[in-house]
Amino acid sequence: MSQYAYLVPFWPLLGFLIIAFWANRHHQFAAKLATTMIGISWVMSLVILWETLHAEQPLEMTFTWMALPSMLTKAGWTLSMGVLVDPLSALMISFVTTVSLMVHIFSLGYMHGEKYFSRFFEFLNLFTFSMLGLVLVNNYFGLFIFWELVGLTSYLLIGFYYEKWTASQAAKKAFITTRTGDLGMAIGLLIMWTTAGTLQFNEVFAAVDSGVLSGTTLTVMALFLFGGAVGKSAQFPLHVWLPDAMEGPTPVSALIHAATMVVAGVYLVARSMPVYMASEAASMVVASIGLITALMAGSIGLVQNDIKRVLAYSTVSQLGYMIMALGLGSLFAGTFHMFTHAFFKALLFLGSGSVIHALHTNDIQEMGGLGRKMKITFWTWVIASLSIAGIPPLSGFWSKDEIVATAAHHPVFLVGTLVVAFMTAFYMFRLTFLVFFGEPRDHHKYDHAHESPLVMTGPLMFLAVLSVVAGFWGMPWLSHGFGHFITSGQGEHHTPSILLMAVATLVALCGIGLAYQMYYKKAWSPDALAARFQGLYRILYNKYYFDELYDVVFIRPYYVLCDLLWTFDMLVIDGLVNLAGWLGLAVAVMHNWFDKYIVDGLVNGSGYMFRGLGRSLRFVQSGRVQNYTFLVAFGLLLLVIVQIDLLTLLTRLFESTP
Amino acid sequence: MTLYQYLALATLVFCIGLFGVLTRRNAVAVLIAIELMFNSVNLLLVAFTRYISPDGLVGQLFAVFIIVIAAAETTVGMAIVLLVYRGFRGIQVDRIGFLKW
């Protein structure tokens, strides 16, 4: 089956095309078609994963896409395309299709009755296609193409409710912010192309191994490449788009922000591990950015009131975790957390979707006591929360343990990791207690709440099972577990440390306990705490003022620049154009005057002259015979008087000369 | 009587005829004046023949021709005058301006 891996992205693409061109008006058919297509991809990718588990070595299929004869200095170049099925891509396609399938099924219920029901599924299919292509392609160029496709489709999905001002703004923000990172990535690819002369994964890594690509060039290239990951994976300082992207429909948040688009950056770094391993400085930057992001986003998540925004910051924070683990050199920890996180974060997002579907509000201050009414949503939510908080033996515990173990050698990172773990546990259970426990704060909304239909709770339950069991694959005691698989059996097996596990679990329990005290028992008032640390609270509540900062630093100067350019256009460019127009007009006026008075004057003047002549001469023609006769007689008399000898004159005239 | 007396008489008659042509307003009177001028010419022809070549009759012959032609001419002229009278209810030559511009 692995040799047919290129068919995995093909099915969603087919679904997209059919819906886009033929089934746009058949909502139910379009939705079922899209879900079926993802289902086929899902089955295929599971088979591929199974085969890869037992495969000796990765399967790569390449063909020459473009070949050009010698252009500049090089003796021609070729651009190849192909499919790479190795443990990493097999893992990626399997969980991408799993989450995508669950989101599709969930959306059948959640989006029911939407005006643009079929368009939603159309975009979902296109998005899944882009993501699958991104992880399957075997070179950086193809990766970049699909990378941009993912960016485009995320824009379409975030701006799905484009009539809503905030949604369209959020879509633009996501698109432009990620594009900023992509610019860095493009520069990185250009450096790669000019130095190594290839964009194929294995050839680039070979160039790194052989030292063709090394030193400062390598570091700079790796950092530029990381720029793309920073944008896509919402890392500091380009994280601002992700929380705003919650304006999209909730299933979109689950798909984009849990399992697919945002892990594209993590995938990029994981895929380029040989590059980052070769540069100490680059990997240190990657790890630091990851930690900063994790701490910053986690702390913001502590105080937000929008259920989806809390989850969004949680996602950013967990992505920071993954990036940090990769930066610290552990492919195992980074990808394993990405794998488990996909399930429990998708579950959390879909669970929040179920809650929002029931209450029609995002504000956790208006929720409460829902555990009694929405049993399935409640229990799956608790499982996911325990998992993300890192309580054994759920999946989040095992992956987080790997990250802690990776960070154990660096004191700063170890402390940071534990702080993030504490914050994660706290804000997740703050949500849990506020939403599902206690007394309802808004009775009107509470009375109308009801459990969601099976089509929505089904995916929740399925993901809950995965959230529980997915972690066992990566238990540190297994000699042929996840770590062995993802690194193709090349080590990274460390002795499990019971102490670290205990510490991590204890930290998580502390976080849960604090949330329990504050929001369930109400032993400590959160309001009092907020009042006490007012400055800190305000900074966190306003997300460290990043939006305001960017507004002042980038957006406003940009507007000013636009204004300046506009003014320049208006005054100088338009002025020149108008001046040319005026000059042309002036010349035309002069020409007109010349034609009218000189040329026409000559023509008319000759006419006038002859008319005047005729007018004066016509008085001779009086029409009176007597006048004429008088003139004849007078003339004759004149001749007689001056004695002209007419006869002689005439005779002489006709005389032949002697 | 000498030739000069004949010539003087012929000139006088011619001038009277010319005067009549130029001054009379009645078309019939103009025709009559033209007849006068014809006759002065006839007189000249006869007088010159008598005094310059008395044996020939050339002058007399021409005079007879002219009398005949003058009669025909007067007939045509009178016909025109009649037609003009029908069209204009009058034969005053100064009023008949249809040759005018």
Side-chain angles (χ1 to χ4, degrees):
Chain A
M1 183 63 86
S2 294
Q3 61 268 32
Y4 300 117
Y6 56 86
L7 283 177
V8 175
F10 167 76
W11 297 110
L13 179 66
L14 185 68
F16 161 72
L17 291 175
I18 292 175
I19 298 172
F21 289 109
W22 293 290
N24 228 330
R25 281 152 200 269
H26 309 287
H27 286 198
Q28 285 307 319
F29 169 74
K32 284 181 179 117
L33 177 82
T35 314
T36 313
M37 288 303 175
I38 299 292
I40 298 171
S41 288
W42 179 61
V43 172
M44 277 188 74
S45 55
L46 287 187
V47 175
I48 289 171
L49 180 65
W50 181 253
E51 284 185 5
T52 313
L53 273 172
H54 300 94
E56 289 298 314
Q57 52 195 15
L59 183 72
E60 187 168 2
M61 287 160 286
T62 312
F63 66 94
T64 304
W65 188 34
M66 281 190 266
L68 285 186
S70 61
M71 289 271 294
L72 297 169
T73 53
K74 290 215 165 74
W77 54 269
T78 54
L79 213 52
S80 299
M81 272 293 153
V83 172
L84 174 66
V85 184
D86 71 343
L88 183 58
S89 58
L91 177 80
M92 292 289 296
I93 57 170
S94 57
F95 78 71
V96 166
T97 47
T98 308
V99 172
S100 182
L101 180 65
M102 290 307 124
V103 167
H104 272 74
I105 295 171
F106 185 86
S107 303
L108 288 174
Y110 185 83
M111 299 298 281
H112 188 75
E114 283 284 337
K115 196 171 155 199
Y116 301 114
F117 194 64
S118 64
R119 202 187 65 187
F120 181 74
F121 282 91
E122 180 188 327
F123 289 166
L124 277 189
N125 259 6
L126 182 62
F127 182 84
T128 312
F129 156 72
S130 319
M131 193 62 206
L132 290 172
L134 193 155
V135 296
L136 275 175
V137 81
N138 75 338
N139 60 72
Y140 280 105
F141 188 66
L143 184 118
F144 190 65
I145 295 173
F146 284 109
W147 188 273
E148 294 302 326
L149 257 178
V150 168
L152 166 73
T153 42
S154 69
Y155 167 79
L156 293 173
L157 283 171
I158 294 167
F160 183 73
Y161 296 125
Y162 60 87
E163 300 100 330
K164 220 169 97 186
W165 169 249
T166 48
S168 68
Q169 289 297 100
K172 275 192 275 182
K173 189 173 179 180
F175 194 72
I176 294 168
T177 313
T178 52
R179 205 73 332 110
T180 314
D182 294 351
L183 178 68
M185 183 176 172
I187 296 172
L189 294 189
L190 288 176
I191 296 174
M192 188 186 289
W193 176 255
T194 46
T195 48
T198 178
L199 293 175
Q200 298 291 112
F201 287 145
N202 48 8
E203 289 171 17
V204 170
F205 301 152
V208 171
D209 277 344
S210 64
V212 175
L213 202 58
S214 61
T216 320
T217 318
L218 178 69
T219 307
V220 170
M221 186 202 84
L223 287 179
F224 271 122
L225 210 56
F226 184 56
V230 168
K232 263 298 185 277
S233 285
Q235 297 297 294
F236 170 84
L238 295 180
H239 63 278
V240 289
W241 66 269
L242 199 145
D244 281 24
M246 294 299 129
E247 290 291 343
T250 309
V252 168
S253 308
L255 182 61
I256 294 184
H257 306 126
T260 50
M261 176 180 170
V262 293
V263 303
V266 182
Y267 169 77
L268 176 67
V269 178
R271 178 55 83 198
S272 315
M273 271 313 261
V275 175
Y276 287 99
M277 286 305 96
S279 169
E280 186 75 26
S283 55
M284 209 55 220
V285 169
V286 171
S288 311
I289 292 278
L291 182 65
I292 292 170
T293 310
L295 282 169
M296 176 208 67
S299 58
I300 296 173
L302 296 176
V303 297
Q304 297 298 314
N305 277 331
D306 184 320
I307 184 168
K308 282 175 72 184
R309 273 178 191 269
V310 175
L311 293 178
Y313 280 108
S314 162
T315 304
V316 176
S317 165
Q318 300 299 311
L319 289 167
Y321 250 16
M322 301 169 204
I323 294 280
M324 182 191 79
L326 292 172
L328 291 174
S330 176
L331 182 64
F332 172 28
T335 51
F336 188 40
H337 196 57
M338 174 166 75
F339 176 64
T340 57
H341 175 257
F343 299 128
F344 56 68
K345 187 48 69 67
L347 174 53
L348 285 172
F349 268 117
L350 294 182
S352 76
S354 179
V355 169
I356 293 167
H357 190 66
L359 290 185
H360 300 291
T361 178
N362 282 5
D363 193 344
I364 50 175
Q365 301 296 351
E366 293 178 18
M367 300 174 181
L370 284 174
R372 289 190 291 278
K373 279 205 156 186
M374 306 173 73
K375 288 265 191 288
I376 300 174
T377 308
F378 169 60
W379 282 112
T380 52
W381 177 281
V382 168
I383 289 170
S385 297
L386 287 172
S387 182
I388 193 174
I391 301 300
L394 301 169
S395 63
F397 167 73
W398 302 108
S399 58
K400 196 165 283 185
D401 171 57
E402 282 307 322
I403 292 176
V404 174
T406 308
H409 311 296
H410 312 266
V412 178
F413 285 105
L414 180 62
V415 173
T417 310
L418 291 175
V419 170
V420 173
F422 172 78
M423 290 193 293
T424 309
F426 175 78
Y427 63 64
M428 281 322 299
F429 276 87
R430 172 172 173 260
L431 277 188
T432 310
F433 289 129
L434 279 175
V435 173
F436 292 102
F437 290 92
E439 288 305 308
R441 288 176 197 76
D442 188 329
H443 278 280
H444 178 72
K445 286 203 165 77
Y446 178 79
D447 291 340
H448 287 83
H450 55 83
E451 180 60 289
S452 303
L454 181 66
V455 72
M456 287 164 73
T457 51
L460 294 182
M461 291 186 281
F462 184 81
L463 286 170
V465 172
L466 282 178
S467 298
V468 175
V469 301
F472 296 128
W473 190 13
M475 281 195 297
W477 293 285
L478 290 178
S479 62
H480 283 72
F482 187 89
H484 181 82
F485 168 65
I486 202 77
T487 57
S488 307
Q490 289 159 4
E492 261 204 56
H493 191 75
H494 56 85
T495 46
S497 162
I498 302 293
L499 177 68
L500 278 176
M501 287 185 188
V503 170
T505 312
L506 197 65
V507 165
L509 284 174
C510 283
I512 296 172
L514 183 64
Y516 177 77
Q517 286 290 335
M518 281 171 72
Y519 293 102
Y520 187 72
K521 296 277 276 189
K522 300 199 170 52
W524 303 317
S525 161
D527 294 333
L529 205 63
R532 184 129 170 235
F533 301 102
Q534 207 177 8
L536 184 66
Y537 177 78
R538 197 168 294 152
I539 289 174
L540 291 182
Y541 190 77
N542 288 305
K543 312 152 210 163
Y544 291 105
Y545 294 102
F546 268 111
D547 284 334
E548 287 76 6
L549 181 73
Y550 288 168
D551 190 52
V552 170
V553 177
F554 297 112
I555 298 174
R556 270 166 215 275
Y558 181 71
Y559 280 157
V560 171
L561 184 68
C562 286
D563 264 0
L564 276 176
L565 290 178
W566 181 78
T567 318
F568 181 78
D569 267 12
M570 281 304 286
L571 294 180
V572 181
I573 307 284
D574 281 18
L576 283 175
V577 172
N578 286 342
L579 186 69
W582 281 112
L583 281 176
L585 195 63
V587 170
V589 165
M590 277 162 62
H591 261 288
N592 181 35
W593 184 88
F594 183 81
D595 270 10
K596 202 167 171 181
Y597 294 100
I598 308 295
V599 179
D600 283 15
L602 282 174
V603 175
N604 289 339
S606 58
Y608 283 130
M609 189 179 77
F610 287 111
R611 198 163 76 180
L613 271 174
R615 211 171 257 172
S616 50
L617 277 177
R618 73 182 177 190
F619 292 104
V620 178
Q621 307 288 324
S622 67
R624 295 187 186 170
V625 186
Q626 287 168 320
N627 274 4
Y628 303 153
T629 321
F630 172 73
L631 281 175
V632 171
F634 182 77
L636 188 66
L637 193 64
L638 213 64
L639 286 178
V640 171
I641 287 170
V642 297
Q643 292 183 332
I644 292 171
D645 193 344
L646 257 185
L647 201 64
T648 322
L649 215 65
L650 287 173
T651 329
R652 287 230 181 115
L653 205 62
F654 296 106
E655 219 173 28
S656 55
T657 358
Chain B
M1 284 178 75
T2 63
L3 180 61
Y4 292 99
Q5 287 169 325
Y6 285 105
L7 288 184
L9 177 68
T11 306
L12 182 68
V13 172
F14 185 86
C15 286
I16 291 169
L18 185 61
F19 181 76
V21 168
L22 291 181
T23 54
R24 299 305 298 220
R25 298 168 70 187
N26 193 318
V28 179
V30 172
L31 281 176
I32 291 169
I34 288 171
E35 284 307 308
L36 266 181
M37 290 162 77
F38 272 129
N39 285 334
S40 78
V41 172
N42 285 344
L43 192 59
L44 275 179
L45 283 169
V46 174
F48 277 126
T49 310
R50 179 73 180 85
Y51 283 93
I52 292 169
S53 57
D55 300 331
L57 285 170
V58 183
Q60 284 86 336
L61 197 62
F62 265 104
V64 173
F65 263 124
I66 289 172
I67 289 167
V68 173
I69 288 169
E73 179 260 320
T74 309
T75 315
V76 174
M78 280 308 293
I80 292 173
V81 168
L82 277 173
L83 283 173
V84 169
Y85 180 78
R86 280 193 198 160
F88 287 83
R89 291 273 139 216
I91 48 170
Q92 286 93 338
V93 282
D94 57 336
R95 293 234 189 121
I96 306 166
F98 57 82
L99 284 180
K100 205 180 161 190
W101 40 266

